[in-house]
Amino acid sequence: MTDSVAFPQDRTCPYQPAPGYQPLAEQRPLSPITLYDGRQAWAVTGYALTRQLLTDPRISSDRTNPQWPMVSAAAAVEFSDAQRKVIKLLTALVGVDGAPHRARRKLVQAGFTIRRIDALRPKIQEIVDRQLDEMIASGAPADLLRAYASPVPLMSLCALLGIPHEDQDFFEQKAYQILFGPNAGGAYDELMAYLVKLIEKRDQQPDPEESFLDDLLAARDAAGDVDYEEVLQALLIVLVTGHDTTSSSIALGAFTLLQHPDRLAELRADPSLLPAAVDELTRLVAVPDGLQRVAAEDIEVGDTTIRKGDGVFFLFSLINRDENAYDEPGSLDWHRPAFRDHLTYGFGPHQCVGQNLARAIMEIAFGTLIERLPGLRLAVPGEEIPVKPGDAFQGLVELPVAW
């Protein structure tokens, strides 16, 4: 590999690709990149090639592969036994291939039916209204991320999962201690004990509204092979993978709309455009920018060979701006003929199982926000709003607004 671009790099505009990725855009669909430690890898930046490779079984999600590519020194540190257990727990769906992945995906997928999500919409609306009431009552300026974009998906996911409202703070606290706290093992044990009690209570008193948890318990009873740890595993996977991405998408989407006042006015005048607007915003902001994979075998791509063991990264900020797939891909336009053909949710066997829930949450969150706060605006210049580093899910550190 020659003329390699450093990866990852930070964005300067929150909804635009990092400026340093311009050579990768010019070299579509596949380009060499250099990781933090000098290791060479590949960046996929073409729409058609992304669809091809994400359905190729030689592109592996196996995070136990010793050649799994790391994006930073922090991601490559030696973890404690408790941390390794947690990582294994949270990657049990997204970090495996083949039959184990299909079995776990089938288990999780049962909780994301269109019927279940449609039934959840009134609850999501209640959550959105409550958070917006609290933000307005606290007065401007406010951090839209902390007051609205983060709690709305978290509470919506807890409602989907079947975590009682009075337990949601505890569940959230322990889930994030498992991820980021110094006592991950202790938090894990506490959540396991809580879950055992919750399941025992649910077995005795089924939830009349049903939930994701009820679906998991039904699958356990039917198959006889879903244990308590697997139930907790599924709950945590949904909570952790669904919260940050949806929260970041709401905050980035709101920022993007405020930078496009004509589009915002159009959306406010015609709320029927919201479903298309949500997907167009999701395409443009590309929160999961830099999806990691590793080549399990040699793969020929034109006159280039991705060698076995090579790291492969999918840069959705560029993939979703491929001129061969979109007219004027850098523009915000929800009148595109196929607004759901973007690849931000992935493609193939590992495509996001919760994408329709994310759409429902964002549709209600954006619709209510722009209806109730017609004077919504940034409280500081856009260039002063801090952006998350490029080695994480893309997003904002905060979003100060007034109205």
Side-chain angles (χ1 to χ4, degrees):
M1 303 183 193
T2 58
D3 301 323
S4 183
V5 170
F7 177 85
Q9 297 185 39
D10 298 344
R11 295 181 180 183
T12 52
C13 173
Y15 58 87
Q16 297 284 5
Y21 292 166
Q22 183 57 34
L24 303 178
E26 295 169 355
Q27 297 168 19
R28 279 191 182 95
L30 185 70
S31 303
I33 53 176
T34 302
L35 304 183
Y36 77 100
D37 58 356
R39 177 181 173 182
Q40 300 292 288
W42 296 101
V44 181
T45 56
Y47 182 94
L49 182 59
T50 298
R51 290 171 62 102
Q52 174 188 327
L53 290 179
L54 287 180
T55 55
D56 191 322
R58 295 172 295 179
I59 291 290
S60 173
S61 298
D62 182 8
R63 283 162 172 76
T64 66
N65 188 320
Q67 293 175 300
W68 182 259
M70 297 295 182
V71 294
S72 67
V77 298
E78 186 65 26
F79 294 106
S80 67
D81 290 342
Q83 288 171 320
R84 279 195 291 269
K85 182 178 183 179
V86 170
I87 292 169
K88 182 179 179 181
L89 182 80
L90 294 176
T91 58
L93 177 65
V94 297
V96 293
D97 301 316
H101 170 258
R102 288 192 293 273
R104 290 165 186 162
R105 184 181 175 89
K106 182 179 180 180
L107 182 68
V108 171
Q109 214 164 10
F112 287 97
T113 63
I114 296 296
R115 179 186 64 81
R116 168 65 47 75
I117 292 168
D118 284 344
L120 194 64
R121 280 178 174 266
K123 177 65 70 175
I124 298 172
Q125 185 68 63
E126 289 178 15
I127 292 167
V128 164
D129 288 335
R130 183 170 63 248
Q131 289 305 123
L132 204 50
D133 287 343
E134 292 180 4
M135 187 180 82
I136 293 171
S138 297
D143 180 358
L144 190 72
L145 177 61
R146 185 169 62 88
Y148 189 70
S150 182
V152 162
L154 177 64
M155 294 178 184
S156 300
L157 284 163
C158 283
L160 172 84
L161 296 177
I163 307 301
H165 181 73
E166 62 272 16
D167 295 340
Q168 288 179 9
D169 286 344
F170 168 83
F171 194 87
E172 175 197 2
Q173 181 186 49
K174 296 306 173 184
Y176 279 83
Q177 284 179 9
I178 284 177
L179 284 178
F180 307 116
N183 187 22
Y188 175 83
D189 291 341
E190 287 185 70
L191 262 188
M192 278 298 296
Y194 164 78
L195 183 65
V196 169
K197 291 181 180 179
L198 180 62
I199 290 175
E200 290 174 350
K201 179 180 178 181
R202 193 60 58 85
D203 281 341
Q204 296 170 2
Q205 297 177 322
D207 186 348
E209 296 183 2
E210 296 188 342
S211 67
F212 184 86
L213 177 58
D214 293 288
D215 288 337
L216 291 176
L217 296 179
R220 181 200 65 180
D221 292 339
D225 59 357
V226 182
D227 59 21
Y228 283 83
E229 185 172 48
E230 190 167 7
V231 173
L232 178 59
Q233 179 185 82
L235 295 182
L236 288 179
I237 286 171
V238 170
L239 183 69
V240 173
T241 60
H243 174 233
D244 196 17
T245 51
T246 308
S247 170
S248 293
S249 294
I250 293 172
L252 276 176
F255 177 92
T256 304
L257 286 173
L258 291 173
Q259 299 299 301
H260 295 78
D262 291 345
R263 288 295 190 204
L264 179 56
E266 180 188 27
L267 195 58
R268 185 174 283 120
D270 186 1
S272 70
L273 295 170
L274 272 167
V278 164
D279 267 282
E280 175 67 355
L281 287 165
T282 302
R283 178 192 73 85
L284 201 68
V285 304
V287 166
D289 199 14
L291 179 72
Q292 295 156 275
R293 293 290 187 264
V294 63
E297 300 176 28
D298 288 358
I299 304 171
E300 301 295 331
V301 177
D303 57 1
T304 301
T305 301
I306 300 174
R307 298 293 182 189
K308 178 180 179 179
D310 282 352
V312 182
F313 292 83
F314 294 85
L315 273 61
F316 291 112
S317 63
L318 300 181
I319 293 163
N320 289 342
R321 287 172 169 79
D322 187 343
E323 294 87 352
N324 293 318
Y326 301 99
D327 293 329
E328 299 184 16
S331 65
L332 181 66
D333 179 9
W334 39 71
H335 298 288
R336 299 180 187 279
F339 59 83
R340 284 193 173 172
D341 66 353
H342 64 84
L343 298 178
T344 303
Y345 292 116
F347 192 72
H350 283 272
Q351 190 174 35
C352 175
V353 296
Q355 60 183 284
N356 288 323
L357 176 61
R359 287 185 173 105
I361 293 171
M362 286 189 281
E363 183 181 328
I364 295 169
F366 286 131
T368 307
L369 183 68
I370 64 178
E371 177 188 3
R372 292 187 57 186
L373 295 179
L376 186 70
R377 62 189 185 278
L378 296 180
V380 299
E383 58 271 18
E384 294 182 11
I385 295 177
V387 181
K388 286 183 179 179
D391 62 354
F393 282 129
Q394 300 302 292
L396 302 171
V397 177
E398 61 181 7
L399 182 55
V401 295
W403 52 89

